[in-house]
Amino acid sequence: MTIYRIVVATANPGKIRELRALLPSCFEAVTAGELGIKLPPETADTFAENALIKARAAAQSSGLVALADDSGLEVDALGGRPGVHSAHYAGEGATDRDNIQRLLKELRGVPLERRTARFRAVIALVAPDGREALAEGVVEGRIIEEPRGESGFGYDPIFQPLGSEHTFAEMSAEEKNQRSHRAQALQRALLVLQDWFSCSIEKSSRSDESRS
Ligand code: ITT
């Protein structure tokens, strides 16, 4: 089987773990960090532009097709915040815990029915020859009042997807990957990769996280 090497332009270990588990085994995903590539600052105000900034830099530096994910949480009662500022919502150097505490503080007193939110992910693909593509995924849900669960990363302990009793952090990696914004975006991005590499990607992706 031919193995296609791509560079994953993210420094977030949670994203790397999920993307590696979701990518079919015909792709070898090396990270920008593993190649010694430093990603540029995300200076745009849309997920798409920020994803392109990261993917363009990684494709140019590596000579490989690059895949970047820019994502975040949009909370309706906060006018869509934290959105593109999700990673640093509680300030530069903020931990996941700090971001969650800030969000819960801002939502204090907001009843459950008005705590609607969604995770959005935009995946940018950039080839060294200049080809570019974008793919988006969204998962709707609610922000609960107290964090629950230990899995995943970021805002997972306070995000309960619609139709589930559990937060993302209470799900196994596999369960989250069946419905997440990132999984949906990647599924669309795979169609582009299939075209660019002129290959047929089998449906069966890795079901374990052991290669992270
Ligand atoms: P890279 O830019 O290196 O990819 P980052 O964490 O800075 O890493 P983003 O700018 O895209 O990435 O910020 C995304 C933030 O949104 C992330 O740090 C989390 O706080 C949150 N987020 C995105 N997807 C998430 C998910 O599946 N579960 C929980 N939180 C998520």
Side-chain angles (χ1 to χ4, degrees):
M1 184 177 65
T2 312
I3 304 285
Y4 304 97
R5 199 162 199 242
I6 62 170
V7 56
V8 177
T10 172
N12 180 318
K15 289 187 191 177
I16 294 169
R17 201 167 52 235
E18 290 184 8
L19 289 166
R20 278 192 165 141
L22 286 163
L23 276 165
S25 49
C26 60
F27 290 104
E28 182 199 351
V30 289
T31 65
E34 285 163 355
L35 297 178
I37 298 168
K38 200 168 174 299
L39 296 172
E42 297 161 40
T43 47
D45 55 10
T46 63
F47 293 119
E49 277 304 321
N50 282 329
L52 283 167
I53 287 172
K54 293 183 271 192
R56 283 175 187 145
Q60 268 169 22
S61 306
S62 66
L64 298 170
V65 167
L67 182 157
D69 162 312
D70 205 67
S71 44
L73 184 63
E74 299 171 348
V75 180
D76 293 326
L78 301 178
R81 289 198 322 269
V84 292
H85 304 294
S86 294
H88 308 291
Y89 197 43
E92 278 309 312
T95 63
D96 289 344
R97 201 188 152 93
D98 298 334
N99 288 330
I100 286 176
Q101 288 315 321
R102 172 167 178 193
L103 196 69
L104 289 181
K105 198 169 162 195
E106 292 190 340
L107 286 178
R108 205 169 284 156
V110 177
L112 197 60
E113 66 272 14
R114 292 209 299 112
R115 297 171 79 100
T116 50
R118 69 205 52 76
F119 270 126
R120 190 181 300 278
V122 175
I123 287 181
L125 296 171
V126 174
D129 66 9
R131 282 175 295 173
E132 296 186 344
L134 291 168
E136 184 171 294
V138 174
V139 58
E140 299 284 342
R142 280 182 207 288
I143 305 301
I144 60 165
E145 288 180 355
E146 292 291 335
R148 288 199 328 244
E150 305 293 329
S151 311
F153 68 98
Y155 298 89
D156 282 346
I158 55 168
F159 184 81
Q160 189 173 319
L162 274 190
S164 174
E165 293 294 302
H166 302 293
T167 66
F168 267 169
E170 292 176 306
M171 295 182 184
S172 66
E174 258 184 41
E175 281 174 294
K176 181 182 172 190
N177 278 345
Q178 273 163 17
R179 60 203 308 165
S180 78
H181 49 312
R182 182 159 300 106
Q184 292 178 44
L186 189 70
Q187 209 171 5
R188 294 177 182 129
L190 284 175
L191 299 176
V192 178
L193 289 176
Q194 185 164 303
D195 183 41
W196 286 5
F197 287 105
S198 306
C199 65
S200 160
I201 296 165
E202 308 133 44
K203 264 206 134 180
S204 62
S205 62
R206 291 184 192 105
S207 57
D208 67 289
E209 301 255 84
S210 57
R211 297 177 50 125
S212 59

